[in-house]
Amino acid sequence: MNPSDYTGCDIDKMQKIDNENYQNRYHDKSVKDYSSDVGKGPENIADLLKTKSSREWIIDSFGARGSCVLLAGETGSGKTSFIYQMAYAISTGNIFLGEITTQKNKVLVVQSDESKNNALDKLELMDIDNPNIYFFFGEDGWDKLNIPKLREVIVKNSFKVVILDSVTTLLTNNGYSMRDPEFATPLYELNDLAGELNIIIICTAHLRKPEGIRNEVFVHDVIGSITQSGAVSDIWGIWIPTKQSYKNHFILKCLGKRNCRKGIIWNLKGDEEDFSFVLKSVGEGELLPSKNQELSFSILNLLNTKNEFKTIREIASETSSNEEHTRRVCKNLFLEKEISRKRDISKGGRPPWKYGPKTFPTCRI
C-alpha cells in the first residue's frame, strides 16, 4: 500500500484485527525470561550520570548528536527540499535557514521517495554540489530499510549525519503494515543506533490524509504515530498554513519530546525558484535562534567574568533579558555542560537554583 493513499477509516476496528493477526503469528513463540538473562548488575545513578555526555547540537535547536529525529509532513509540504538544504548546510558547516548554526559533518541521504533523476533535478536547481554529501537511491537497491547494512555503511564511511527520505516508504516496502505493533521497532533500532554511534539520524515521515482541511500537524497525524512517537527522540511537523501571512509561507513546529522544546514554531519563507527556505520569524514568546545564541554568549560571559553563582532573576537583570528566556538558555547550557548549578540557601519553600561557571580558576599564592 502506498502511504499517500492512506484514507480515513475505522482505525480502532482495523487496529483490533491487526493486533489479533499479530498475536496469531507469534503466539507459539516462547516468551523469553529476560530477568534471568541480564549479563551484569544494576548501576547506581551517581556512576551513570558521570558517563552521561553533554548535549551537542549538530543543527542548533533542531537536532542533537545521538538522536533520531522525525520530520513529518504531507506531499507538497516541502520536507524533501528542507532536508536537502539542511544536508548542504551541514556538509559545509554554513548557517541553515539564514539563522541556525550547524556543525560541519559528512552526510548520507537515503532517498526512497523520489527517483534519482527527480532528485538530481531538484539538487541542481537548489545549487547543491558538495563532496561531503552522499546518496543512496531506492532504484539502486535502497528501497527497504536494512539497519545492519546501514550501520556497516555508516561506520565504514564515518558518516555523522544520516537522512532517510522517507522512513514510511522504507518500512512499508519491508512488508510492515502501518498499523502493526512492530511498525515502530526499526525506529527504536535507529534511535539506538544514533545513540551508539553518537550521530544524528533524520527521518521524514508521511501523514494520514485529513478528513477535511489540514490547519496544523499534530502527533496523531503521523502515520503509525501511536508507536512512532515513542520510538524517536524528537518529532517536528512541517505544513503550509491555510491562512498564509505571506507568499510561500511554511510552518515548522516541534511536536516533542527530548531535545527540542514542544511547541516551538518557526515561520519559514520558501523560494519557488530554487526551493530554498529562510527562517522569517518565530512563534509568540520565542527567540530567533541567532538571538538565543547571543543570550547564551551573554550569560556565559557574565558567569565566567563574575566567577560566581547567580539566580535566574539576577542573570536576567544583568543581561537585560526576559526571565523565561534566561531560564530556558541556562537549562540548555547546563545540559551542554557549559555551566554548573547548585541550590541556593532555603528561605522557606523550595530553594531556587543558582547557575555559575563550570570551573573555577586556581588561585596562586
Side-chain angles (χ1 to χ4, degrees), residues 83-92 105-110 123 127-136 159 161 163:
I83 57 142
Y84 284 172
Q85 185 178 347
M86 178 186 291
Y88 182 67
I90 296 168
S91 72
T92 57
N105 280 288
K106 199 173 176 181
V107 183
L108 171 65
V109 180
V110 178
L123 291 165
D127 195 26
I128 294 176
D129 180 11
N130 187 282
N132 257 354
I133 306 177
Y134 295 74
F135 270 82
F136 280 132
F159 290 116
V161 178
I163 299 174

Side-chain angles (χ1 to χ4, degrees), residues 189-223:
E189 294 175 3
L190 287 171
N191 206 28
D192 289 342
L193 182 64
E196 175 199 347
L197 301 180
N198 199 29
I199 63 174
I200 182 171
I201 299 177
I202 301 166
C203 308
T204 67
H206 295 283
L207 302 178
R208 293 186 175 94
K209 284 188 175 180
E211 295 181 1
I213 298 174
R214 191 187 305 283
N215 296 311
E216 189 173 343
V217 173
F218 300 95
V219 170
H220 63 259
D221 293 324
V222 185
I223 291 177

